[in-house]
């Protein structure tokens, strides 16, 4: 080791660990983070030492820590990846230097190289296109299932087929069984609670085929609304439960709702 002054060694060590680069793998294959790491030693080495050797050990330790911190981070969200990396590097870690433990902390700045930035842009375009396609497919499926969740809708759909024969139409029991299966179509977890509740209520009322049973259940529902201080809604339910109204709306109450 070439003899240098303490000040020169300290200056050389600072220069080598003050801001050094690192290339870190992200959670997306082929896309990497480009990091600049700023290290601090506490206490700083004293006595004769090789600045290159100590700097190599410090850089290796911090690059390893940073690599682990961002290995599961998505380059699409660069700020979150930088926060995760900075959080790990702020935690002091001990490195044995010159037969004594030295605490090392660091800060970091993450960015993406031009080619990685272009790759992220292509990835975002593909992700958005796939999300839009998935959403449209799910909406079409859910709308179709809701449409056919009533036996009458199933019968109309069957009659629209070019080879349909009225005399060979499915019987009411078969249509009801198939409609019930469609009503139990798995709902999206993000579906509003109100829509989920309507589906449950519709299936519940369908379990009571007699109109007087449905009217009794509706009166119980109206009582619950009044107890919740919603008399306007209770009046609407009671009006719907009247025999004259029920005669015109029985299909709606017992089926699609």
């Amino acid at each position: 080791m070439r003899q240098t002054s303490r000040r020169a060694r300290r200056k050389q060590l600072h220069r080598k660990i003050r801001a050094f680069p690192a290339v870190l793998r992200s959670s997306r294959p082929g896309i990497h983070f480009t990091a600049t790491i700023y290290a601090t030693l506490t206490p700083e080495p004293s006595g004769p030492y090789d600045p290159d050797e100590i700097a190599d050990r410090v850089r290796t330790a911090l690059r390893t820590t940073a690599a682990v911190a961002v290995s599961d981070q998505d380059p699409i969200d660069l700020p979150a990846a930088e926060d995760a990396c900075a959080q790990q590097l702020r935690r002091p870690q001990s490195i044995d230097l010159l037969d004594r433990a030295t605490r090392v902390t660091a800060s970091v700045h993450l960015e993406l190289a031009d080619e990685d930035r272009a790759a992220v842009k292509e990835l975002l375009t593909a992700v958005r296109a796939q999300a839009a396609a998935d959403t449209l497919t799910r909406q079409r499926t859910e709308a179709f299932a809701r449409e056919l969740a009533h036996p009458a809708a199933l019968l109309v759909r069957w009659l629209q087929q070019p080879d349909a024969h009225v005399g060979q139409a499915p019987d009411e029991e078969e249509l009801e069984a198939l409609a019930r299966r469609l009503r139990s179509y798995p709902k999206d977890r993000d579906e509003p609670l109100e829509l989920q509740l309507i589906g449950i209520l519709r299936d519940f009322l369908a379990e009571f085929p007699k109109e007087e049973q449905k009217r009794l259940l509706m009166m119980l529902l109206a009582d619950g609304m009044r107890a919740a201080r919603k008399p306007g809604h209770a009046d609407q339910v009671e009006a719907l439960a009247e025999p004259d109204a029920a005669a015109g709306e029985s299909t709606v109450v017992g089926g699609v709702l």
Side-chain angles (χ1 to χ4, degrees):
M1 179 179 68
R2 183 167 58 88
Q3 295 295 325
T4 57
S5 68
R6 176 179 179 181
R7 181 177 180 182
R9 289 194 300 269
R10 184 171 178 270
K11 186 175 180 179
Q12 184 178 354
L13 177 60
H14 279 198
R15 186 173 64 252
K16 290 179 176 295
I17 68 172
R18 181 174 52 200
F20 61 91
V23 178
L24 313 171
R25 294 178 180 176
S26 73
S27 63
R28 303 282 185 173
I31 301 179
H32 296 75
F33 297 108
T34 300
T36 303
I37 302 176
Y38 308 85
T40 302
L41 300 181
T42 307
E44 294 187 356
S46 59
Y49 61 84
D50 184 349
D52 290 332
E53 180 183 352
I54 291 180
D56 288 344
R57 295 175 67 178
V58 170
R59 289 196 300 259
T60 298
L62 292 178
R63 281 175 176 144
T64 299
T65 300
V68 172
V70 300
S71 61
D72 61 347
Q73 295 295 315
D74 197 325
I76 290 176
D77 191 352
L78 188 60
E82 184 171 87
D83 288 346
C85 190
Q87 184 180 19
Q88 290 298 320
L89 292 177
R90 279 197 303 269
R91 296 176 180 174
Q93 56 179 306
S94 295
I95 301 179
D96 291 331
L97 302 176
L98 304 175
D99 298 327
R100 61 181 297 183
T102 299
R103 289 159 61 91
V104 180
T105 57
S107 59
V108 65
H109 173 68
L110 284 187
E111 57 185 358
L112 295 171
D114 291 342
E115 59 271 21
D116 291 308
R117 192 176 296 110
V120 168
K121 185 176 180 180
E122 292 179 5
L123 179 62
L124 274 172
T125 300
V127 168
R128 288 166 179 163
Q130 185 61 50
D134 291 346
T135 298
L136 289 174
T137 299
R138 184 173 63 252
Q139 288 177 346
R140 283 194 295 265
T141 301
E142 291 174 352
F144 191 57
R146 284 195 297 268
E147 177 189 350
L148 301 184
H150 189 274
L154 277 174
L155 181 58
V156 170
R157 177 71 65 169
W158 183 87
L159 291 173
Q160 289 174 342
Q161 302 302 313
D163 57 346
H165 298 286
V166 177
Q168 299 176 357
D171 60 31
E172 184 178 347
E173 202 173 299
E174 292 174 333
L175 290 172
E176 177 59 40
L178 184 53
R180 187 177 294 109
R181 290 175 59 186
L182 290 168
R183 285 197 296 271
S184 64
Y185 173 81
K187 303 299 189 300
D188 192 323
R189 291 182 179 179
D190 296 330
E191 186 177 48
L193 178 62
E194 292 84 354
L195 290 180
Q196 298 182 48
L197 183 59
I198 287 173
I200 295 172
L201 181 58
R202 178 186 58 201
D203 291 342
F204 176 69
L205 291 175
E207 294 295 323
F208 299 89
K210 296 181 179 180
E211 293 304 322
E212 57 269 21
Q213 293 175 319
K214 288 184 173 63
R215 285 197 292 272
L216 177 59
L217 292 171
M218 292 168 68
M219 296 305 294
L220 291 174
L221 177 60
D223 290 342
M225 290 177 174
R226 292 194 188 282
R229 298 183 179 179
K230 297 297 179 182
H233 292 82
D235 291 342
Q236 293 178 33
V237 173
E238 288 177 347
L240 188 63
E242 291 296 327
D244 292 342
E249 301 291 342
S250 60
T251 300
V252 176
V253 174
V256 177
L257 190 61

